Amino acid sequence: MAMQFKIITPLRTALETEVLGILLPGTEGEMEILPGHADLISSVANGELIYRPTAGERKSLFVGGGFLQVESDRILLVTDTALESGEINTDSVEEAIARAKETIKNSASVMSREEITYLEAVLAKQMAMLDYRKKRHP
C-alpha cells in the first residue's frame, strides 16, 4: 500500500511522490513511517531522510529541522531545507562552518544568549549537512 509523501520548504515543494515507507531523524530519535502508521505530528531533526518510492530504489535527502504530519496514507514534512547530496556545495558549507565558529569564538562576550544559540544551531545544521554529503559522495 502506497502513501502520498510531500516535502515543502519556504522556497519550494521539494518532493511529491508515492512511497512505501520513509526513515527520518526525529528530535527524539530515528523514526520509520510505513503504511498503516498511526496519525502523528512530530518534530524532525537535521539529518538524512531515506524514502522508498513505489517505483524504484531507495533514495535519500538531507533535511533540516521541521515538522512531520502523518494522517491516514498522507505524509507531510515541513522543513527549512531539503537537498539531494549533489545539491550541497561542500566548499560553501565548510566556509559557513568556519564563519560560525570564528564568530562564536571572537564575539561570544558581546552576543546575547539567543544569538549564540542561533549560531550554534546554524553550526550544527551545517556540520550535519557536510556529514551527509561526505557519506553520499566520499
Side-chain angles (χ1 to χ4, degrees):
M1 172 186 237
M3 301 175 290
Q4 297 297 317
F5 182 38
K6 186 174 187 176
I7 300 174
I8 58 173
T9 72
L11 301 176
R12 65 189 174 118
T13 298
L15 180 70
E16 192 165 4
T17 189
E18 285 192 343
V19 297
L20 299 174
I22 65 170
L23 183 66
L24 72 158
T27 54
E28 299 294 321
E30 199 168 70
M31 294 186 285
E32 185 171 23
I33 309 297
L34 298 170
H37 196 286
D39 291 355
L40 168 77
I41 293 178
S42 180
S43 54
V44 175
N46 298 322
E48 182 177 23
L49 177 144
I50 299 171
Y51 64 99
R52 242 180 63 214
T54 54
E57 298 292 314
R58 291 171 23 149
K59 296 181 179 181
S60 75
L61 297 169
F62 174 83
V63 294
F67 293 93
L68 176 78
Q69 178 185 25
V70 178
E71 183 181 11
S72 299
D73 63 346
R74 293 185 313 271
I75 305 167
L76 174 64
L77 174 61
V78 179
T79 181
D80 63 351
T81 307
L83 299 169
E84 293 181 7
S85 63
E87 296 176 288
I88 298 170
N89 181 320
T90 306
D91 293 336
S92 295
V93 173
E94 288 173 344
E95 188 177 303
I97 290 169
R99 275 195 318 269
K101 285 181 177 179
E102 188 68 22
T103 301
I104 291 169
K105 178 182 169 189
N106 294 330
S107 305
S109 63
V110 296
M111 294 172 61
S112 70
R113 184 69 202 142
E114 291 82 12
E115 291 170 319
I116 293 171
T117 301
Y118 172 77
L119 279 176
E120 289 171 343
V122 167
L123 184 58
K125 180 178 177 181
Q126 296 297 321
M127 291 175 75
M129 192 181 303
L130 189 59
D131 287 346
Y132 169 74
R133 169 74 173 154
K134 287 179 178 178
K135 176 182 173 184
R136 290 292 166 190
H137 287 94

